Amino acid sequence: MEAASLWAATPGAAVLGAPQTCSDSPVPGGGVGSTPGGAVLPGREPPYSVFTVLVVTLLVLLIAATFLWNLLVLVTILRVRAFHRVPHNLVASTAVSDVLVAAVVMPLSLTRELSAGRRWQLGRSLCHVWICFDVLCCTASIWNVAAIALDRYWTITRHLQYTLRTRRRASALMIALTWALSALIALAPLLFGWGEVYDARLQRCQVSQEPSYAVFSTCGAFYLPLGVVLFVYWKIYKAAKFRFGRRRRAVLPLPANVKEAPQEAEMVFKARCPATVTFQASGDSWREQKEKRAAMMVGLLIGVFVLCWIPFFVTELISPLCACSLPPIWKSVFLWLGYSNSFFNPLIYTAFNKNYNNAFKSLFTRQR
């Protein structure tokens, strides 16, 4: 979501706070003084510094990687029948929101960063589209992370009551509520006149700066799901600690003439044609390994989510309430740090699932 005072930077500021070029004699159109052949006059700096070009290149690579990686996850879920169930529908919902962030929100935000003075030069209609998609997709991505955490929590702590049918219904309900709440937060300024997002005179496009909307949007888009995921991980940690502690106390030394029970095996899906199932022996039971991986995945997902988004939402909440503002460079850093969460999400929840790795290999093998 776009930082409110990010657009309030002084005219002529370069992207991400890079140094501006100055000229004693103004040039029509605000350009840098140059010869008719296009060469830069002696003593004048180029319009974009090396630092700016490097930063823009990194942001373009971030956009491309975010889009392609999430698209790969979506294609895999659609093509592999074993993924047409919970929890992969939650992963697919997250990937859809992150693909839209990379395809719509991030390119327009980069265009805005590159414009002189960070003005919005694409008109009122596209401004409304951009702001709506910005709030909608980022909020949906955040709530999808909370939904994945809740699903993992119920799977670990209530695996007997949390049946496949219950899990399917719960995931469908969470997905519907995620997108409905995200749409409400995104469309509230347009539907209820809750502040203005576009100023034609200043060429400014920003999220509504009404203090009441700032509280409503930041709490609904971040602080409430943050509370959910922190509570969920605390419960997962307590449940895992209690269960593994109880298992250690239950282990007794075996007599010399008694053999140790055989190790249980873990079922792993192999996405080949035809599909195969293999079993891998392990010292821990299959369910214990699954719970450990789920706890690690949820913990890493939550940690990255908090690190990426909390700087942006803290400033987004404080700025409208106290009428204070950070330097534009920090606003841009916090904004793109939040966007980068859409890149990390698919990396995390596929790294802890062997089925995705096998499906990716199978997908690329078939293409050859």
Side-chain angles (χ1 to χ4, degrees), residues 52-86:
T52 299
V53 173
L54 177 61
V55 171
V56 171
T57 302
L58 292 176
L59 294 181
V60 171
L61 292 176
L62 175 64
I63 294 172
T66 303
F67 177 78
L68 293 176
W69 191 249
N70 283 282
L71 187 63
L72 177 62
V73 172
L74 282 177
V75 171
T76 302
I77 293 175
L78 291 175
R79 295 193 61 177
V80 179
R81 183 176 294 274
F83 291 160
H84 296 176
R85 55 183 174 84
V86 184

Side-chain angles (χ1 to χ4, degrees), residues 40 56 78 159 215 256-257 339 342 352:
V40 180
V56 171
L78 291 175
H159 57 272
V215 174
N257 60 345
Y339 286 158
S342 295
F352 286 88

Side-chain angles (χ1 to χ4, degrees), residues 36-37 60 113 115 117 137 139 148 193 217 227 247 250 259 269 278 298 312 318 333 343 347 358:
V60 171
E113 295 281 358
S115 65
C137 299
T139 304
I148 292 175
S217 61
R247 179 176 178 272
K259 294 183 178 181
F269 167 76
T278 61
V298 172
F312 170 81
I318 294 177
V333 169
F343 167 76
L347 293 178
N358 296 329

